[in-house]
Amino acid sequence: MNFMDFTLRKGVVGLATGAGAIYLLYKAIKAGISSHSSIPTSSPVCIARLAIERERHGKDSGELRRLLNSLETKQDAYSKGMILHSITRCVYLLEAEEHSIKVLELISTVWDSELHIAGLRLLNGLPLPDFAHPQLRRVMPSLMEILQTDSILAQVQAVRLLSHLAQKNDLLYDILNCQVQSNFLNLFQPTQPGSLLFEVLVFAERLSEGRSSPHYRAVNWQYNEQSLHEALFGDESRLADRLLALVIHPEEEVQIQACKVIVSLQCPQDFGNQPSSCHTTSSCYNEGDAS
Protein backbone atom coordinates (compact mmCIF):
# COMPACT_ATOMS: atom_id res chain seq x y z
CA MET A 1 0.00 0.00 0.00
CA ASN A 2 1.54 3.34 -1.00
CA PHE A 3 1.40 6.38 1.20
CA MET A 4 -1.20 8.26 -0.83
CA ASP A 5 -3.57 5.29 -0.59
CA PHE A 6 -2.95 5.22 3.14
CA THR A 7 -3.71 8.89 3.64
CA LEU A 8 -6.83 8.73 1.49
CA ARG A 9 -8.09 5.63 3.26
CA LYS A 10 -7.55 7.19 6.66
CA GLY A 11 -9.11 10.46 5.61
CA VAL A 12 -6.05 12.55 6.44
CA VAL A 13 -6.81 16.04 5.21
CA GLY A 14 -3.85 17.36 3.19
CA LEU A 15 -0.18 16.61 3.61
CA ALA A 16 0.29 19.23 6.32
CA THR A 17 -0.36 16.73 9.11
CA GLY A 18 2.45 15.27 11.16
CA ALA A 19 2.34 11.76 9.72
CA GLY A 20 2.57 13.10 6.19
CA ALA A 21 5.59 15.19 7.07
CA ILE A 22 7.30 12.31 8.85
CA TYR A 23 6.74 9.88 5.98
CA LEU A 24 7.92 12.32 3.32
CA LEU A 25 10.98 13.21 5.37
CA TYR A 26 11.69 9.54 5.92
CA LYS A 27 11.58 8.88 2.19
CA ALA A 28 13.63 11.96 1.38
CA ILE A 29 16.28 11.22 3.99
CA LYS A 30 16.49 7.62 2.84
CA ALA A 31 16.99 8.76 -0.75
CA GLY A 32 19.52 11.42 0.23
CA ILE A 33 21.66 9.09 2.32
CA SER A 34 21.53 5.93 0.22
CA SER A 35 22.03 7.49 -3.19
CA HIS A 36 24.31 10.08 -4.75
CA SER A 37 21.71 10.83 -7.38
CA SER A 38 19.36 13.75 -6.99
CA ILE A 39 16.20 13.36 -4.91
CA PRO A 40 13.15 12.52 -7.05
CA THR A 41 11.48 15.79 -7.89
CA SER A 42 8.14 14.66 -6.50
CA SER A 43 9.42 14.52 -2.90
CA PRO A 44 10.73 18.09 -2.52
CA VAL A 45 7.79 19.46 -4.48
CA CYS A 46 5.31 17.73 -2.19
CA ILE A 47 7.19 18.84 0.92
CA ALA A 48 7.42 22.39 -0.42
CA ARG A 49 3.66 22.41 -0.90
CA LEU A 50 3.32 21.23 2.68
CA ALA A 51 5.52 24.09 3.87
CA ILE A 52 3.59 26.65 1.82
CA GLU A 53 0.30 25.40 3.25
CA ARG A 54 1.69 25.63 6.80
CA GLU A 55 3.03 29.12 6.18
CA ARG A 56 -0.32 30.24 4.75
CA HIS A 57 -1.91 29.41 8.10
CA GLY A 58 0.79 31.29 10.00
CA LYS A 59 2.37 28.20 11.54
CA ASP A 60 6.01 28.81 10.66
CA SER A 61 8.48 31.60 10.02
CA GLY A 62 9.43 30.62 6.48
CA GLU A 63 12.65 28.87 7.44
CA LEU A 64 11.21 25.47 6.62
CA ARG A 65 10.00 26.72 3.24
CA ARG A 66 13.43 28.08 2.35
CA LEU A 67 15.09 24.81 3.29
CA LEU A 68 12.63 22.78 1.30
CA ASN A 69 12.96 25.01 -1.74
CA SER A 70 16.72 24.58 -1.59
CA LEU A 71 16.23 20.90 -2.34
CA GLU A 72 15.08 21.90 -5.82
CA THR A 73 18.60 23.08 -6.67
CA LYS A 74 21.45 20.73 -7.46
CA GLN A 75 23.27 19.75 -4.26
CA ASP A 76 26.13 17.42 -3.49
CA ALA A 77 25.44 14.48 -1.18
CA TYR A 78 26.84 16.17 1.94
CA SER A 79 24.90 19.43 1.44
CA LYS A 80 21.73 17.51 0.71
CA GLY A 81 22.14 15.53 3.93
CA MET A 82 22.64 18.68 5.97
CA ILE A 83 19.55 20.30 4.46
CA LEU A 84 17.46 17.22 5.23
CA HIS A 85 18.80 17.20 8.79
CA SER A 86 17.80 20.85 9.20
CA ILE A 87 14.33 20.12 7.82
CA THR A 88 13.88 17.32 10.33
CA ARG A 89 14.86 19.65 13.18
CA CYS A 90 12.35 22.23 11.98
CA VAL A 91 9.57 19.66 12.00
CA TYR A 92 10.53 18.63 15.53
CA LEU A 93 10.25 22.21 16.70
CA LEU A 94 7.05 23.04 14.86
CA GLU A 95 4.88 20.16 16.00
CA ALA A 96 6.48 18.33 18.90
CA GLU A 97 3.10 17.08 20.24
CA GLU A 98 0.85 16.56 17.27
CA HIS A 99 3.25 14.10 15.74
CA SER A 100 3.05 11.40 18.39
CA ILE A 101 -0.55 10.32 17.71
CA LYS A 102 -0.12 10.25 13.95
CA VAL A 103 3.20 8.43 14.02
CA LEU A 104 1.77 5.81 16.38
CA GLU A 105 -1.05 5.23 13.92
CA LEU A 106 1.38 5.05 11.03
CA ILE A 107 3.78 2.51 12.53
CA SER A 108 0.91 0.27 13.63
CA THR A 109 -0.81 0.35 10.22
CA VAL A 110 2.00 0.31 7.63
CA TRP A 111 4.17 -2.77 8.16
CA ASP A 112 7.58 -1.64 6.94
CA SER A 113 10.74 -2.09 9.00
CA GLU A 114 12.44 1.11 7.79
CA LEU A 115 9.31 3.10 8.53
CA HIS A 116 9.19 1.49 11.98
CA ILE A 117 12.80 2.51 12.64
CA ALA A 118 12.22 6.11 11.51
CA GLY A 119 8.92 6.49 13.34
CA LEU A 120 10.10 4.90 16.57
CA ARG A 121 13.27 6.98 16.59
CA LEU A 122 11.12 10.06 16.32
CA LEU A 123 8.83 8.93 19.14
CA ASN A 124 11.83 8.17 21.34
CA GLY A 125 13.04 11.70 20.79
CA LEU A 126 9.73 13.44 21.50
CA PRO A 127 7.92 14.02 24.79
CA LEU A 128 4.84 11.79 24.83
CA PRO A 129 1.93 13.75 26.34
CA ASP A 130 -0.60 12.11 28.64
CA PHE A 131 -3.34 12.50 26.06
CA ALA A 132 -1.46 10.02 23.85
CA HIS A 133 -1.86 7.19 26.40
CA PRO A 134 -5.17 5.84 24.98
CA GLN A 135 -3.57 5.59 21.54
CA LEU A 136 -0.49 3.97 23.08
CA ARG A 137 -2.71 1.29 24.61
CA ARG A 138 -4.23 0.57 21.22
CA VAL A 139 -0.87 0.19 19.48
CA MET A 140 0.80 -1.76 22.29
CA PRO A 141 0.33 -5.12 20.49
CA SER A 142 2.01 -3.65 17.40
CA LEU A 143 4.95 -2.37 19.46
CA MET A 144 5.32 -5.81 21.01
CA GLU A 145 5.16 -7.42 17.58
CA ILE A 146 7.86 -5.09 16.25
CA LEU A 147 10.01 -6.08 19.24
CA GLN A 148 9.72 -9.70 18.12
CA THR A 149 10.62 -9.15 14.45
CA ASP A 150 14.03 -9.88 12.93
CA SER A 151 15.00 -6.25 12.37
CA ILE A 152 17.54 -5.43 15.08
CA LEU A 153 17.30 -1.66 14.60
CA ALA A 154 13.52 -1.72 14.81
CA GLN A 155 13.64 -4.02 17.84
CA VAL A 156 16.02 -1.70 19.68
CA GLN A 157 13.83 1.34 19.01
CA ALA A 158 10.65 -0.52 20.00
CA VAL A 159 12.06 -1.79 23.29
CA ARG A 160 13.42 1.67 24.15
CA LEU A 161 9.94 3.10 23.75
CA LEU A 162 8.40 0.25 25.76
CA SER A 163 10.99 0.77 28.52
CA HIS A 164 9.98 4.41 28.75
CA LEU A 165 6.28 3.53 28.83
CA ALA A 166 6.86 0.88 31.50
CA GLN A 167 7.59 3.73 33.92
CA LYS A 168 4.06 5.09 33.47
CA ASN A 169 1.78 3.69 36.19
CA ASP A 170 -1.31 3.76 34.01
CA LEU A 171 0.38 1.84 31.16
CA LEU A 172 2.27 -0.83 33.10
CA TYR A 173 -0.55 -3.37 33.20
CA ASP A 174 -1.28 -2.91 29.49
CA ILE A 175 2.34 -3.73 28.73
CA LEU A 176 2.55 -6.72 31.08
CA ASN A 177 -0.72 -8.20 29.82
CA CYS A 178 0.25 -7.79 26.17
CA GLN A 179 0.35 -11.11 24.32
CA VAL A 180 3.77 -12.33 23.18
CA GLN A 181 5.05 -15.27 21.18
CA SER A 182 5.96 -18.49 22.97
CA ASN A 183 9.64 -17.96 22.14
CA PHE A 184 9.76 -14.42 23.56
CA LEU A 185 12.68 -15.29 25.87
CA ASN A 186 14.83 -15.85 22.80
CA LEU A 187 15.39 -12.09 23.02
CA PHE A 188 17.56 -12.89 26.07
CA GLN A 189 19.77 -15.40 24.24
CA PRO A 190 23.51 -14.66 24.58
CA THR A 191 23.76 -14.88 20.79
CA GLN A 192 21.66 -11.73 20.35
CA PRO A 193 23.54 -8.49 19.55
CA GLY A 194 24.78 -6.77 22.68
CA SER A 195 22.89 -3.57 21.86
CA LEU A 196 19.58 -5.44 21.80
CA LEU A 197 20.39 -7.52 24.88
CA PHE A 198 21.16 -4.41 26.89
CA GLU A 199 17.88 -2.75 25.92
CA VAL A 200 15.69 -5.79 26.66
CA LEU A 201 17.42 -6.17 30.03
CA VAL A 202 16.67 -2.52 30.85
CA PHE A 203 13.07 -3.22 29.84
CA ALA A 204 12.91 -6.29 32.09
CA GLU A 205 14.37 -4.35 35.02
CA ARG A 206 11.81 -1.55 34.69
CA LEU A 207 8.96 -4.03 34.43
CA SER A 208 10.22 -5.89 37.49
CA GLU A 209 10.53 -2.68 39.49
CA GLY A 210 7.11 -1.51 38.37
CA ARG A 211 5.28 -4.71 39.28
CA SER A 212 7.02 -4.77 42.69
CA SER A 213 6.00 -1.24 43.61
CA PRO A 214 3.37 -0.78 46.35
CA HIS A 215 1.18 1.15 43.90
CA TYR A 216 1.03 -1.76 41.48
CA ARG A 217 0.81 -4.50 44.11
CA ALA A 218 -2.25 -2.84 45.65
CA VAL A 219 -4.34 -4.38 42.84
CA ASN A 220 -4.83 -8.08 42.18
CA TRP A 221 -4.05 -8.06 38.45
CA GLN A 222 -5.06 -10.91 36.17
CA TYR A 223 -2.92 -11.81 33.14
CA ASN A 224 -3.63 -13.94 30.09
CA GLU A 225 -1.62 -17.13 29.65
CA GLN A 226 0.38 -15.80 26.70
CA SER A 227 1.11 -12.46 28.34
CA LEU A 228 4.47 -10.77 28.68
CA HIS A 229 4.05 -11.05 32.45
CA GLU A 230 3.82 -14.83 32.28
CA ALA A 231 6.76 -15.05 29.88
CA LEU A 232 9.00 -13.02 32.20
CA PHE A 233 7.64 -13.53 35.70
CA GLY A 234 5.24 -16.49 35.57
CA ASP A 235 5.77 -19.75 37.43
CA GLU A 236 6.91 -21.49 34.23
CA SER A 237 9.24 -18.71 33.08
CA ARG A 238 12.86 -19.57 32.30
CA LEU A 239 14.01 -15.96 32.63
CA ALA A 240 16.29 -16.76 35.59
CA ASP A 241 18.25 -19.26 33.49
CA ARG A 242 18.68 -16.71 30.70
CA LEU A 243 19.85 -14.07 33.16
CA LEU A 244 22.47 -16.36 34.69
CA ALA A 245 23.85 -17.06 31.22
CA LEU A 246 24.09 -13.33 30.54
CA VAL A 247 26.05 -12.64 33.74
CA ILE A 248 29.12 -14.02 31.92
CA HIS A 249 28.38 -12.26 28.64
CA PRO A 250 31.49 -10.82 26.91
CA GLU A 251 30.09 -7.27 27.02
CA GLU A 252 30.35 -5.67 30.44
CA GLU A 253 27.24 -3.50 30.13
CA VAL A 254 25.19 -6.63 29.42
CA GLN A 255 26.70 -8.37 32.46
CA ILE A 256 25.91 -5.47 34.75
CA GLN A 257 22.39 -5.02 33.41
CA ALA A 258 21.66 -8.75 33.81
CA CYS A 259 22.76 -8.44 37.45
CA LYS A 260 20.46 -5.45 37.90
CA VAL A 261 17.50 -7.50 36.69
CA ILE A 262 18.40 -10.34 39.07
CA VAL A 263 18.60 -7.90 41.96
CA SER A 264 15.29 -6.28 41.02
CA LEU A 265 13.63 -9.70 41.00
CA GLN A 266 14.86 -10.42 44.52
CA CYS A 267 14.38 -6.95 46.01
CA PRO A 268 10.73 -5.82 45.90
CA GLN A 269 10.51 -2.05 46.19
CA ASP A 270 8.65 -2.05 49.48
CA PHE A 271 11.29 -4.28 51.08
CA GLY A 272 14.28 -2.65 49.39
CA ASN A 273 15.65 -1.28 52.69
CA GLN A 274 16.11 -4.74 54.19
CA PRO A 275 19.68 -5.93 53.45
CA SER A 276 18.80 -9.59 54.01
CA SER A 277 16.48 -9.61 50.99
CA CYS A 278 19.19 -8.24 48.69
CA HIS A 279 22.14 -10.39 49.70
CA THR A 280 22.92 -11.42 46.12
CA THR A 281 23.89 -7.95 44.95
CA SER A 282 27.62 -8.09 45.63
CA SER A 283 28.02 -11.71 44.60
CA CYS A 284 26.29 -11.07 41.29
CA TYR A 285 28.55 -8.14 40.46
CA ASN A 286 31.61 -10.07 41.56
CA GLU A 287 30.70 -12.89 39.24
CA GLY A 288 30.22 -10.43 36.40
CA ASP A 289 33.59 -8.79 37.08
CA ALA A 290 35.32 -12.14 37.29
CA SER A 291 34.25 -12.94 33.76
Side-chain angles (χ1 to χ4, degrees):
M1 174 176 59
N2 61 41
F3 182 64
M4 287 305 296
D5 290 340
F6 170 74
T7 54
L8 290 173
R9 181 170 65 82
K10 288 295 182 180
V12 178
V13 182
L15 293 179
T17 55
I22 302 284
Y23 193 77
L24 287 171
L25 287 173
Y26 149 69
K27 286 296 186 184
I29 291 170
K30 179 183 175 185
I33 293 175
S34 64
S35 174
H36 292 291
S37 61
S38 60
I39 296 178
T41 56
S42 59
S43 293
V45 170
C46 289
I47 306 176
R49 287 175 181 167
L50 169 128
I52 292 169
E53 184 66 20
R54 291 182 57 81
E55 200 169 63
R56 184 180 301 161
H57 290 85
K59 293 186 177 180
D60 69 66
S61 63
E63 180 184 358
L64 179 60
R65 182 180 183 180
R66 288 190 295 273
L67 287 167
L68 292 167
N69 287 339
S70 68
L71 288 176
E72 300 283 7
T73 61
K74 189 174 181 180
Q75 304 282 351
D76 58 45
Y78 177 79
S79 299
K80 189 185 303 177
M82 293 303 295
I83 292 170
L84 290 168
H85 176 69
S86 297
I87 291 171
T88 304
R89 290 184 60 190
C90 284
V91 174
Y92 269 100
L93 295 172
L94 287 169
E95 284 188 0
E97 294 187 355
E98 286 184 350
H99 279 330
S100 56
I101 299 294
K102 299 181 185 302
V103 175
L104 283 168
E105 181 180 5
L106 193 59
I107 64 174
S108 63
T109 307
V110 181
W111 208 252
D112 177 85
S113 62
E114 292 185 339
L115 176 60
H116 290 161
I117 295 167
L120 288 166
R121 275 180 175 158
L122 181 60
L123 291 172
N124 281 323
L126 291 176
L128 290 175
D130 290 344
F131 64 73
H133 286 196
Q135 178 71 3
L136 284 164
R137 289 189 183 92
R138 287 191 289 271
V139 304
M140 205 71 75
S142 296
L143 294 176
M144 203 64 67
E145 192 171 350
I146 294 171
L147 175 55
Q148 296 171 92
T149 61
D150 56 0
S151 170
I152 301 299
L153 293 177
Q155 288 175 292
V156 168
Q157 294 300 323
V159 75
R160 282 178 182 169
L161 179 58
L162 287 166
S163 291
H164 173 68
L165 300 179
Q167 299 174 91
K168 307 291 185 181
N169 288 331
D170 61 328
L171 294 176
L172 182 58
Y173 173 74
D174 298 277
I175 297 174
L176 284 170
N177 198 42
C178 202
Q179 185 168 328
V180 297
Q181 299 170 12
S182 59
N183 63 348
F184 181 83
L185 288 184
N186 285 351
L187 288 171
F188 296 83
Q189 289 277 23
T191 53
Q192 295 282 10
S195 59
L196 178 59
L197 278 173
F198 175 77
E199 296 294 347
V200 295
L201 287 167
V202 170
F203 182 41
E205 181 190 13
R206 291 181 178 174
L207 291 173
S208 178
E209 290 177 345
R211 66 186 285 269
S212 299
S213 67
H215 178 274
Y216 193 78
R217 295 175 65 184
V219 178
N220 183 24
W221 303 102
Q222 300 295 317
Y223 308 97
N224 69 68
E225 293 182 357
Q226 288 79 40
S227 68
L228 175 64
H229 179 276
E230 294 305 294
L232 293 179
F233 311 116
D235 294 337
E236 304 300 321
S237 174
R238 306 290 296 177
L239 178 62
D241 295 337
R242 301 298 171 89
L243 293 174
L244 290 174
L246 294 178
V247 166
I248 57 173
H249 191 272
E251 298 185 32
E252 184 179 10
E253 70 170 3
V254 174
Q255 295 178 18
I256 294 174
Q257 192 57 45
C259 287
K260 287 182 177 180
V261 180
I262 293 172
V263 171
S264 72
L265 291 172
Q266 299 187 6
C267 302
Q269 294 297 302
D270 50 347
F271 297 111
N273 293 327
Q274 297 184 21
S276 60
S277 67
C278 304
H279 61 86
T280 60
T281 305
S282 60
S283 62
C284 181
Y285 276 95
N286 289 337
E287 184 176 356
D289 293 340
S291 66

